[in-house]
Amino acid sequence: QVRLVESGGGLVQAGGSLRLSCVASGLTFRSYAMAWFRQTPGKEREFVAGISWSGDSYADSVKGRFTISRDNVENTVYLQMNNLKTDDTAVYYCAAGTPGAGRRDYRYNYWGQGTQVTVSS
């Protein structure tokens, strides 16, 4: 059974930092593209950052502030979020997909339960 478990969310002031973690089990972690998506009420889920063997990619809204990384020994993917803005407030989801999944959420097979990030002004 595949499980993705996120942690690290919370409440932070604008300009602050948070580091999200996602621990995967039940899959051959190194074979999967990993990504972070986020969603706010009434809006579609949006791609934040992704990482695979070919490199990493970011949404324009977070480029230069967020960094995605992975540890294929610990089966963990991270999202370091710096200089947070109120617009970053959302539930953040970790996802695992086939190589080349890119920014398309339908290409991701497995999802975590989400972790809330709230940025106050």
Side-chain angles (χ1 to χ4, degrees), residues 35-95:
W36 290 93
F37 289 79
R38 65 187 182 188
Q39 190 169 25
T40 54
K43 292 187 177 181
E44 292 188 357
R45 187 165 51 193
E46 66 170 344
F47 173 84
V48 175
I51 187 167
S52 67
W53 63 269
S54 61
D56 53 11
S57 62
Y58 299 90
D60 287 344
S61 59
V62 307
K63 201 172 294 183
R65 300 188 296 121
F66 291 11
T67 303
I68 189 171
S69 60
R70 64 190 296 164
D71 184 333
N72 288 336
V73 175
E74 297 295 330
N75 287 1
T76 303
V77 61
Y78 303 97
L79 186 68
Q80 177 66 44
M81 305 186 294
N82 297 329
N83 190 20
L84 282 159
K85 304 177 180 180
T86 55
D87 286 347
D88 296 319
T89 295
V91 177
Y92 283 72
Y93 296 92
C94 169

Side-chain angles (χ1 to χ4, degrees), residues 2 4 24 27 32-35 94-98 101 107-111:
V2 176
L4 302 178
L27 75 170
Y32 282 81
M34 300 298 297
C94 169
T98 55
R107 296 287 299 273
Y108 288 84
N109 309 94
Y110 305 107
W111 294 82

